[in-house]
Coordinates of all heavy atoms in Angstrom, one line a residue:
L1333 N 101.7 122.0 95.0 CA 101.5 121.6 93.6 C 102.3 122.6 92.6 O 102.9 122.1 91.7 CB 100.1 121.6 93.2 CG 99.3 120.4 93.8 CD1 97.8 120.6 93.5 CD2 99.8 119.1 93.3
A1343 N 113.4 121.7 85.3 CA 114.2 120.6 84.8 C 114.1 120.6 83.2 O 115.1 120.3 82.5 CB 113.8 119.3 85.4
R1345 N 113.4 123.1 81.2 CA 114.1 124.2 80.6 C 115.6 124.1 80.7 O 116.3 124.5 79.7 CB 113.7 125.5 81.4 CG 112.3 125.9 81.2 CD 112.1 126.7 79.9 NE 110.8 127.2 79.9 CZ 110.0 127.3 78.9 NH1 110.5 126.9 77.7 NH2 108.8 127.8 79.0
S1351 N 120.8 128.3 81.4 CA 120.9 129.7 81.5 C 120.7 130.0 83.0 O 119.9 129.4 83.7 CB 119.8 130.4 80.7 OG 119.7 131.7 81.0
Y1358 N 113.0 130.3 88.0 CA 112.2 129.2 88.6 C 112.8 128.9 90.1 O 112.0 128.4 90.9 CB 112.4 128.0 87.7 CG 111.5 128.2 86.5 CD1 112.1 128.5 85.3 CD2 110.1 128.1 86.6 CE1 111.3 128.7 84.2 CE2 109.3 128.3 85.5 CZ 109.9 128.6 84.3 OH 109.1 128.8 83.2
I1369 N 104.1 128.3 101.8 CA 103.8 127.1 102.7 C 104.0 127.5 104.1 O 103.2 127.2 105.0 CB 104.6 125.9 102.3 CG1 104.1 125.4 100.9 CG2 104.5 124.8 103.3 CD1 105.0 124.3 100.3
S1372 N 101.3 129.9 105.3 CA 100.1 129.2 105.5 C 100.1 128.4 106.8 O 99.1 128.3 107.5 CB 99.7 128.3 104.3 OG 99.5 129.1 103.2
M1394 N 108.0 136.6 83.0 CA 109.5 136.4 82.8 C 109.7 135.2 81.8 O 110.6 135.4 81.0 CB 110.2 136.1 84.1 CG 110.3 137.2 85.1 SD 111.4 138.5 84.5 CE 113.0 137.8 84.7

Side-chain angles (χ1 to χ4, degrees):
L1333 288 174
R1345 293 279 189 216
S1351 169
Y1358 289 105
I1369 290 171
S1372 295
M1394 290 290 290

